[in-house]
Amino acid sequence: SIYFIFLLVVSFTVLNLLVGVLVNVVAVVTAMEHEVRLVQKFKEELPGMMLLMDEDNNQEISKRDLKSMLFNPEACAALQAVGVDPVGLVDFTDFLFEDEDAVVPIDDLLDLLLQLRGSNAAMVKDLVDMRRLLVMEMHKLEMRLTS
């Protein structure tokens, strides 16, 4: 008799564990689907706004084009919806466009903007890229100091 009670309790415990796992899987899939829809909507809306700001119609965005886009409330709302801080992006434009005449293709800029979301976790690749950038900048500084 006690054995059957034990089997009943174990069965319910395992069943509850499986239900918990199933609920967790559904929550993760829902979050991933929401993220995919958000990124898809972003990639549909923002290129149109960028093309409006592209003064020379060459499918590339200059520093001036990006800064003028950041004054557009709809573009800022689209950036905020996907998790990119428009105010922080203003500071980042100086890094992105080292030259005043530099341009970036719209598709590359969209991918870069998606990498700048606050919800992204730092990866080892990001640290390696940062190290590479620091080494390059130190080398440039050293070359300037020696010449």
Side-chain angles (χ1 to χ4, degrees):
S1 148
I2 196 99
Y3 179 71
F4 291 115
I5 294 174
F6 175 74
L7 285 178
L8 184 66
V9 169
V10 168
S11 298
F12 279 120
T13 303
V14 171
L15 185 62
N16 282 335
L17 176 72
L18 291 176
V19 167
V21 169
L22 183 63
V23 167
N24 191 24
V25 167
V26 169
V28 168
V29 169
T30 301
M32 288 177 62
E33 287 294 322
H34 177 69
E35 178 76 14
V36 167
R37 276 188 308 223
L38 194 64
V39 168
Q40 185 178 18
K41 183 180 176 191
F42 175 75
K43 285 190 171 189
E44 289 171 359
E45 288 180 1
L46 209 59
M49 292 180 210
M50 286 182 179
L51 288 174
L52 291 175
M53 302 299 170
D54 186 16
E55 295 174 358
D56 49 1
N57 293 322
N58 61 355
Q59 301 287 319
E60 295 178 326
I61 299 296
S62 67
K63 183 177 183 176
R64 187 178 65 217
D65 294 338
L66 183 60
K67 283 192 175 185
S68 66
M69 184 191 75
L70 291 174
F71 285 108
N72 182 340
E74 293 173 0
C76 288
L79 288 169
Q80 284 180 331
V82 81
V84 176
D85 179 25
V87 176
L89 186 57
V90 170
D91 295 334
F92 188 70
T93 55
D94 293 331
F95 175 74
L96 180 60
F97 299 99
E98 291 179 11
D99 287 338
E100 289 296 321
D101 300 330
V103 292
V104 175
I106 290 177
D107 293 335
D108 292 349
L109 185 61
L110 286 176
D111 292 336
L112 181 65
L113 290 176
L114 289 173
Q115 290 176 2
L116 295 176
R117 294 183 295 168
S119 61
N120 289 350
M123 305 272 191
V124 173
K125 177 190 174 298
D126 299 325
L127 295 174
V128 170
D129 290 344
M130 177 63 92
R131 182 181 180 279
R132 185 179 310 128
L133 175 70
L134 286 173
V135 168
M136 286 176 26
E137 291 297 321
M138 294 296 283
H139 183 67
K140 286 180 188 177
L141 180 63
E142 184 180 316
M143 295 302 285
R144 275 191 246 146
L145 290 175
T146 58
S147 57

